[in-house]
Amino acid sequence: MLRVFLMVLMLFISVPAMADPPKRIVSLAPQITEILYALDLGDNIVGVTTFCDYPPEAREKPKIGGMSNPSLEAVVSLEPDIVVMTTDGNPKEFQARLETLQIKHYVFTARRISELPDAIRDVGAALGVKERADEFAGELQRTLNGFRDKKTVAPLRVLFIVWPEPLVVAGPGTAVDDAIELLGHENIAAGARLNYPKYSLEEVLRQAPDAILIGGMGQEDMKKVSVGLLDRLKNTSAVREGRVYYMGDGLFRLGPRVVDGIEEMADVLDEACK
Amino acid sequence: MKTRVFILITAVAGIFGFALLAGPRPINPFAMSGLDREILLFVRLPRLVVAALMGGGLGASGAVLQGVLRNPLADPYILGLSSGAALGAAAGIVLGVSFFGALTVPLLAFAGAIGTGLLVGLMGWRRGGIWPERLLLAGIGVGFMLSAVLMLFLSVSSNEGLRRAILWIFGDLGMSDWKLIPYGALLIGLGLAIAQRRAKALNTLMLGDDLSHSLGFSPRKETALLFVSVGLMTAASVALGGMIGFIGLLMPHIMRFFVGTDNRILLPASALGGGALLVVADLIGRTVMSPTELPAGMVTALLGAPYFLYLLRRRDVIG
């Protein structure tokens, strides 16, 4: 009798795992949207945030609000089978609200590059695309290992600027910091105690970085707003010898394109080494 | 009284000198490297001058406003000028205005603050002059309206640049440079000079309109003139480095404990005290968590509020 009961129970437990991927997925963050597309779940996405702009098709999806202020009403009205959210940007209270409304959700917790492959495996398993996720994560892991093993000839002291005025830089515990370390260089802001500290201009002058990377939205815009800062850093070797590089936003999102971000950083830092 | 003023001036001068040389990595003025000199002249000194100007302008504005409005809770930001400055800067960024280069944001902020000042002044104007109660209410109303428009801007815009660029409004001295200082010094100096010349009239205004009138002043006109001085100082200070709380509201009260209520002495004393407090707050802000910087506005309140409460407990006479 017990055996029959257990078998019936097992049947129920295993059914969800073997089922097809959820048909209606809501993504609460741009990097989640990118991961879902990479796992071929793009067609199943029924709602995204206003920040989800990649891949371009994602822009056409219905919007549920911003990352820090998603609209609960908009999410509920989309009747999602599952909501995928992140601890890096979504409010914790939103998860509690989903729980009270008994809406199924998955919380993505990775914040570091090294955690990304496993996190993708986990989210894939939860969404019924385990095979595709394992394959994608394996590929990602190999690419990351490739970067790590290709040791740099001359380690550089790097400063990654997120915004010039007020001066905000990428500190420890960020994907940018991970990427700099992975490539065998040194982030001069690694000693700051915050992820994205408001950094001291005086310290930048004193620490004299070998290369300055400026990340962010459109490169033209960043060039325009950085003029004042670079003028004030004109006596550092990075500025004097032209080792200032503008980069895309790949490293600001811990998703599939983080690889492109590392690649881009590797290219400019290789150039800086010359 | 003379000794107290002398002590105050000496203390402020000492604070400025100390703040210039101290920091996470102190500079010895007798053995400076090239880098030290660059940091001293182009990072610390402009920062210190901006802090002194802003703090001075806010301290004096607060003292004038508390007198004009006969309200101990008056703060230069209550007139809505800071909301106007933030909105001006945000609007400029959204519309992509950049013809003044690096000066664009401060200039737009100044324009926003002055425009708001004119609007508030106009609303407070009746029968040939400005009425304090109308001015106060108009300032609060306009301020709320403009903050709401700014919030609307920020919530509907997905422009990350706008969010970050607007961060400076919450008080950032870290990027201060020499470019704005001449204009800031001129405007704040002008505001201080007007207020100082009308300090006697301000003394009578505090006694009430009737007494002021019978002592030979025209209360409405004096109020308008003093409002212009507050407007100039507040707008210039917001444009220099954003909003710094506490100083405008409480520095005049702290100084009343020291030098009394005569505005001829209280105004310069509040300016000196405000400048010194902000300089010290900025020194602490750039030192304690170095290389991360804490906003000077926060340090100002953390430092000033307990001291103010201590004075409040110790003294019998209030303002």
Side-chain angles (χ1 to χ4, degrees), chain A residues 51 162-168 191-194 197-203 205-207 217 224 229 231-232 235, chain B residues 25 27 35-36 38-39 42-44 158 161 163-165 167-168 172 174-177 286 288-293:
Chain A
F51 296 95
V162 175
W163 191 258
E165 292 186 42
L167 179 60
V168 178
R193 269 164 273 186
L194 302 175
K198 190 156 107 50
Y199 210 68
S200 152
L201 182 65
E202 190 176 320
E203 270 315 290
L205 288 169
R206 286 205 188 275
Q207 294 178 320
M217 344 86 49
K224 240 193 277 173
L229 174 69
D231 182 49
R232 311 203 62 188
N235 287 337
Chain B
R25 305 197 195 194
I27 291 177
L35 183 62
D36 282 343
E38 187 188 342
I39 287 173
F42 296 103
V43 181
R44 285 195 191 170
S158 57
R163 288 165 196 279
R164 294 199 190 275
L167 276 181
W168 73 270
D172 178 49
M175 296 303 291
S176 313
D177 62 15
R286 65 183 155 88
V288 289
M289 266 188 72
S290 168
T292 302
E293 299 201 335

Side-chain angles (χ1 to χ4, degrees), chain B residues 77-88:
Chain B
Y77 298 136
I78 214 167
L79 294 178
L81 269 60
S82 48
S83 311
L87 186 61

Side-chain angles (χ1 to χ4, degrees), chain B residues 73-134:
Chain B
L73 290 179
D75 168 319
Y77 298 136
I78 214 167
L79 294 178
L81 269 60
S82 48
S83 311
L87 186 61
I93 293 164
V94 168
L95 300 174
V97 188
S98 63
F99 34 81
F100 300 112
L103 295 184
T104 307
V105 170
L107 276 178
L108 285 168
F110 184 71
I114 288 293
T116 310
L118 286 176
L119 179 63
V120 172
L122 205 65
M123 306 284 293
W125 190 280
R126 269 287 184 288
R127 295 193 293 276
I130 284 180
W131 297 72
E133 300 79 11
R134 295 188 67 90

Side-chain angles (χ1 to χ4, degrees), chain A residues 1-273:
Chain A
M1 186 60 212
L2 184 66
R3 188 181 295 169
V4 175
F5 175 74
L6 280 177
M7 275 172 69
V8 172
L9 194 69
M10 294 253 301
L11 196 67
F12 276 104
I13 291 171
S14 51
V15 160
M18 282 156 63
D20 290 335
K23 288 277 181 305
R24 302 181 63 78
I25 308 176
V26 168
S27 157
L28 293 192
Q31 72 267 34
I32 302 281
T33 304
E34 292 187 30
I35 291 172
L36 295 177
Y37 270 95
L39 299 181
D40 301 327
L41 290 170
D43 291 341
N44 303 15
I45 299 177
V46 291
V48 297
T49 70
T50 47
F51 296 95
C52 297
D53 53 3
Y54 191 91
E57 306 94 272
R59 292 174 206 237
E60 311 299 321
K61 299 280 185 186
K63 304 280 182 287
I64 52 84
M67 247 212 310
S68 56
N69 57 344
S71 153
L72 186 64
E73 198 175 313
V75 172
V76 172
S77 71
L78 289 169
E79 297 179 43
D81 295 329
I82 191 164
V83 175
V84 185
M85 56 189 299
T86 167
T87 48
D88 189 13
N90 294 141
K92 227 176 146 42
E93 305 82 62
F94 200 80
Q95 188 188 345
R97 301 288 287 140
L98 291 177
E99 257 155 39
T100 37
L101 292 172
Q102 296 185 326
I103 294 174
K104 209 174 143 197
H105 54 276
Y106 180 85
V107 186
F108 189 83
T109 54
R111 280 168 183 254
R112 309 296 294 263
I113 289 180
S114 58
E115 298 166 352
L116 186 59
D118 280 341
I120 289 180
R121 281 192 191 97
D122 291 347
V123 71
L127 296 178
V129 286
K130 191 171 180 317
E131 252 171 58
R132 171 70 189 129
D134 286 346
E135 181 195 333
F136 187 81
E139 207 176 299
L140 182 69
Q141 188 67 63
R142 276 188 295 281
T143 318
L144 292 178
N145 292 346
F147 284 124
R148 195 194 54 211
D149 297 339
K150 186 180 152 284
K151 273 289 177 215
T152 175
V153 251
L156 297 172
R157 307 176 66 254
V158 181
L159 181 68
F160 191 104
I161 292 170
V162 175
W163 191 258
E165 292 186 42
L167 179 60
V168 178
V169 305
T174 58
V176 170
D177 186 65
D178 287 346
I180 294 174
E181 203 194 309
L182 188 73
L183 295 171
H185 299 285
E186 185 196 342
N187 179 7
I188 66 165
R193 269 164 273 186
L194 302 175
N195 291 153
Y196 293 99
K198 190 156 107 50
Y199 210 68
S200 152
L201 182 65
E202 190 176 320
E203 270 315 290
V204 179
L205 288 169
R206 286 205 188 275
Q207 294 178 320
D210 300 316
I212 292 176
L213 307 181
I214 302 178
M217 344 86 49
Q219 305 206 347
E220 279 313 306
D221 291 346
M222 286 311 286
K223 268 184 193 157
K224 240 193 277 173
V225 293
S226 304
V227 174
L229 174 69
L230 294 179
D231 182 49
R232 311 203 62 188
L233 295 175
K234 59 179 183 285
N235 287 337
T236 58
S237 65
V239 176
R240 214 175 40 226
E241 289 155 31
R243 288 190 300 270
V244 177
Y245 305 95
Y246 295 88
M247 303 200 19
D249 62 352
L251 287 168
F252 289 163
R253 286 183 190 174
L254 196 58
R257 283 192 300 150
V258 105
V259 171
D260 303 341
I262 303 174
E263 183 88 63
E264 194 185 0
M265 184 185 275
D267 287 348
V268 299
L269 291 181
D270 278 351
E271 199 190 312
C273 281

Side-chain angles (χ1 to χ4, degrees), chain B residues 17-18 20-22 26-33 36-37 40 44:
Chain B
F18 178 71
L20 189 60
L21 301 173
I27 291 177
N28 176 354
F30 303 108
M32 283 199 288
S33 65
D36 282 343
R37 191 169 299 122
L40 195 79
R44 285 195 191 170

Side-chain angles (χ1 to χ4, degrees), chain B residues 6 13 15 41 52 123 158 175 206 221 242 270 286 303:
Chain B
F6 177 74
I15 284 171
L41 293 181
M123 306 284 293
S158 57
M175 296 303 291
M206 290 168 68
K221 293 230 168 62
S270 299
R286 65 183 155 88
L303 211 63

